[in-house]
C-alpha cells in the first residue's frame, strides 16, 4: 500500500515562499506521474502541478510561473516550491499520482495572509 505524507505548510505573508515535501513509500516515483493538488475551503480539489514520468512538468494557469514541482527518486520525495504566494493560494495541499490513484494523505495547510 502506498503511503503519502505531506509536510512543509504554514502561515506566510503575501509575496512569500514555501517549499512543500511529499514522502511516498513504495518506490513508486519512477513509475508514475506525480502531482500536487490543493483544496480550498468549500471548493473542489484541483491539480496544480504535475511531474510526468518523462520528467516534464505542467502547471495550472493560476500557479504558472510561481510554483515549481520537482522529484527526487533516490529519496522518493516530491517537492513543490511556491513563490510569490497570494491569499488565493490558501488551501490544504496534497500529493498523489496523476491521475490520483492512491489513498490521500493528511495534506499540509498553506495559509497566505497578512
Amino acid at each position: 500500500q502506498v503511503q503519502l505524507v505531506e509536510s512543509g505548510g504554514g502561515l506566510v505573508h503575501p509575496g512569500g515562499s514555501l517549499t512543500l515535501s511529499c514522502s511516498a513509500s513504495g518506490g513508486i516515483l519512477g513509475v508514475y506521474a506525480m502531482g500536487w493538488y490543493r483544496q480550498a475551503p468549500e471548493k473542489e480539489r484541483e491539480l496544480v502541478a504535475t511531474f510526468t514520468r518523462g520528467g516534464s512538468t505542467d502547471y495550472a494557469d493560476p500557479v504558472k510561473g510561481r510554483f515549481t514541482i520537482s522529484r527526487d527518486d533516490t529519496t522518493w520525495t516530491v517537492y513543490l516550491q511556491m513563490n510569490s504566494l497570494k491569499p488565493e493560494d490558501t488551501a490544504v495541499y496534497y500529493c498523489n499520482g496523476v491521475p490520483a490513484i492512491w489513498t490521500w494523505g493528511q495534506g499540509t495547510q498553506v495559509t497566505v495572509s497578512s
Side-chain angles (χ1 to χ4, degrees):
Q1 178 65 33
V2 173
Q3 288 189 318
L4 302 167
V5 180
E6 301 90 353
S7 62
L11 173 64
V12 64
H13 293 307
S17 299
L18 282 174
T19 300
L20 307 183
S21 300
C22 169
S23 174
S25 67
I28 59 174
L29 294 191
V31 180
Y32 298 97
M34 294 295 295
W36 279 96
Y37 302 75
R38 69 184 181 186
Q39 186 167 22
E42 301 183 0
K43 290 190 176 181
E44 296 290 321
R45 191 172 296 175
E46 61 176 345
L47 175 66
V48 297
T50 303
F51 194 104
T52 71
R53 290 180 58 186
S56 62
T57 57
D58 190 36
Y59 300 93
D61 285 343
V63 308
K64 201 167 292 184
R66 301 188 296 120
F67 289 11
T68 302
I69 187 172
S70 60
R71 188 177 81 189
D72 184 344
D73 289 347
T74 63
T75 61
W76 304 337
T77 304
V78 184
Y79 300 97
L80 186 68
Q81 173 67 43
M82 306 186 295
N83 298 324
S84 302
L85 283 162
K86 304 176 181 180
E88 51 264 43
D89 295 318
T90 295
V92 180
Y93 284 72
Y94 305 84
C95 69
N96 210 310
V98 179
I101 59 174
W102 299 298
T103 300
W104 294 98
Q106 84 287 350
T108 187
Q109 174 72 49
V110 172
T111 302
V112 185
S113 175
S114 54

